[in-house]
Amino acid sequence: MLRRVCRSIAILLVAGVSAPALAEKKADPCDDGRGDGILRCSENRLAEAKREMAKTLASLRKAIDHRQLKDLNASQKHWLRYANSYCSVAGNPYPDSPNSFSGQIYWNDASYNYCHKRLTEERNANLARLLDCRTGGGSESCS
């Protein structure tokens, strides 16, 4: 009887831990190993990085004066042009090659997205440091 109870408890514990883990794994398009899932994943992660940067930019725009705002907007425009150009080169591992396999288009687009995500996160970190300096929380990183 005690063995049966212990076995039932062990099964419930394993099932309770495994079921949520399996559900999470299926929900993440990054883990499906297919090109379209990887592309969706890269799009989602890029969108999240852009949302975070938009929040930082909104806060920074409130913290600076009109002249600085004009400069910030110009620098953001130039940064975006740079990021798009850079990732068109660095994020495209198969330039000028025909689509010899079905997933290649996904890999090119996903590589571009991950490149842009990385640059967006770097830009956001720089903007966040600038915001921290403008709101009085900065230190030696403000110079």
Side-chain angles (χ1 to χ4, degrees):
M1 175 77 172
L2 183 59
R3 270 191 173 168
R4 218 183 282 172
V5 170
C6 289
R7 185 174 172 210
S8 297
I9 291 172
I11 290 172
L12 289 174
L13 288 174
V14 170
V17 170
S18 299
L22 290 174
E24 279 183 36
K25 188 169 181 116
K26 288 181 182 179
D28 187 357
C30 301
D31 292 337
D32 74 359
R34 296 179 20 223
D36 60 335
I38 291 167
L39 179 60
R40 278 192 313 275
C41 178
S42 70
E43 290 168 344
N44 292 340
R45 293 193 174 163
L46 175 57
E48 178 60 30
K50 286 181 176 181
R51 279 190 297 275
E52 289 299 315
M53 186 169 67
K55 289 178 192 175
T56 303
L57 276 168
S59 296
L60 185 56
R61 285 182 173 124
K62 292 176 185 174
I64 59 179
D65 66 30
H66 178 69
R67 183 186 55 78
Q68 291 173 324
L69 179 60
K70 189 175 178 182
D71 291 341
L72 175 65
N73 290 337
S75 73
Q76 190 63 17
K77 179 182 173 183
H78 293 297
W79 173 83
L80 187 57
R81 185 178 295 146
Y82 161 75
N84 289 337
S85 298
Y86 178 80
C87 290
S88 290
V89 175
N92 188 354
Y94 305 108
D96 299 328
S97 64
N99 285 332
S100 57
F101 59 93
S102 63
Q104 182 173 321
I105 190 74
Y106 296 123
W107 289 108
N108 285 350
D109 291 345
S111 295
Y112 175 88
N113 290 341
Y114 279 119
C115 174
H116 213 295
K117 172 193 166 287
R118 182 180 55 79
L119 292 180
T120 300
E121 290 172 341
E122 290 172 6
R123 174 72 173 171
N124 190 41
N126 289 332
L127 293 170
R129 277 191 295 280
L130 183 58
L131 176 62
D132 193 39
C133 290
R134 294 295 184 256
T135 56
S139 59
E140 68 278 349
S141 66
C142 296
S143 52

